[in-house]
Amino acid sequence: LDCNTAGHRMVLGLWLDPVHDRALSGGADGDIRVWDLTTGGCTRVLTGHQASICSLVATDEIIVSTSFDGSSKVWSWTGRAEQTLLGHQGHVCGLSLQEGDERKCWTGADDGLVKLWDMDTAACLETLPQQGGSVWCVKAEAAELLTGCTDASVRLFDPRSSQEIAHLLGHREAVAGLVSDEDKIIT
C-alpha cells in the first residue's frame, strides 16, 4: 500500500486482516484509512483524532485507535466514532483487546498507567499501578498482560487480579514492541 500518495504524511499504526483482505493505517495526520487489500484502494477515511494515530486493533464489529491527542476511540466499520476513551495524560500508545472479551481493551500511555476499558460504555474498569515510564506497548491474553515501557522494562501482570507477576529488565532503551506465545516473550 502506498499510503503517502493516498493522503497520510507518515504511517505510525497498522493493522492487517488477511482473511477479509483489509487493512487499517493510522497516520501522523490523525486519520485512519481502511484499505481493500484486493484492489489496494482506500475505501474509507475515519477522522476525529486531533493528533497522530499510534496503534490500531479491530474485530469484525469495531476498530479501536490510540492517539497522541491523549484519547482512544472506538469506531464502527462504517466510520462512526462510537466511544471516546478519556482518562490518560499525554500520548496514548499501547493498545490490546482483552482475549476472551473483545468488548474490553487495555491502553497504556505517557502517564505510565495501564487502563482496562469497557468499550460499550467508555468506562475505565481498572487502572494498574504506575509503571516506571511511558507505556508504549500492551498485550493482553486471558491469563497474562504484558507491558513495555520507556524505562526499558517489561512487566507481566495477571489481568484477573491486576497483580504484577514479573518485572523483566535487560533492555538498554525503551521497549517499543512485544509479542508472545505460550513459551516466550519477544521485545
Side-chain angles (χ1 to χ4, degrees):
L1 299 176
D2 186 355
C3 297
N4 290 326
T5 60
H8 284 310
R9 291 187 314 258
M10 177 174 40
V11 174
L12 299 174
L14 186 63
W15 176 86
L16 299 172
D17 180 4
V19 173
H20 295 101
D21 290 322
R22 61 187 176 183
L24 300 169
S25 61
D29 55 7
D31 292 342
I32 300 165
R33 286 177 162 53
V34 180
W35 298 92
D36 180 328
L37 295 178
T38 305
T39 66
C42 178
T43 61
R44 180 166 281 115
V45 178
L46 286 62
T47 60
H49 279 293
Q50 303 304 309
S52 300
I53 305 298
C54 189
S55 300
L56 295 161
V57 295
T59 69
D60 287 340
E61 289 81 40
I62 59 167
I63 298 165
V64 188
S65 58
T66 64
S67 174
F68 287 4
D69 68 10
S71 74
S72 300
K73 289 189 180 285
V74 181
W75 309 81
S76 69
W77 278 94
T78 62
R80 190 174 91 227
E82 302 281 336
Q83 297 287 357
T84 300
L85 312 177
L86 296 171
H88 282 292
Q89 300 297 315
H91 303 139
V92 183
C93 295
L95 175 63
S96 181
L97 298 175
Q98 175 60 55
E99 183 179 291
D101 187 352
E102 292 186 334
R103 295 304 300 177
K104 293 180 181 163
C105 72
W106 292 90
T107 58
D110 282 352
D111 56 12
L113 299 175
V114 178
K115 295 180 176 282
L116 175 64
W117 301 91
D118 180 320
M119 293 186 288
D120 291 325
T121 65
C124 178
L125 303 174
E126 190 167 352
T127 302
L128 296 182
Q130 191 161 16
Q131 311 287 299
S134 298
V135 181
W136 280 2
C137 46
V138 178
K139 183 166 189 299
E141 296 181 357
E144 64 183 26
L145 173 70
L146 293 162
T147 64
C149 303
T150 58
D151 70 349
S153 74
V154 173
R155 287 180 170 83
L156 174 64
F157 294 87
D158 182 335
R160 299 162 296 196
S161 67
S162 300
Q163 295 298 309
E164 186 174 309
I165 299 166
H167 185 180
L168 309 173
L169 302 172
H171 285 280
R172 293 185 183 145
E173 300 288 335
V175 178
L178 55 85
V179 294
S180 69
D181 65 14
E182 297 169 357
D183 301 318
K184 59 190 157 298
I185 301 167
I186 302 171
T187 57

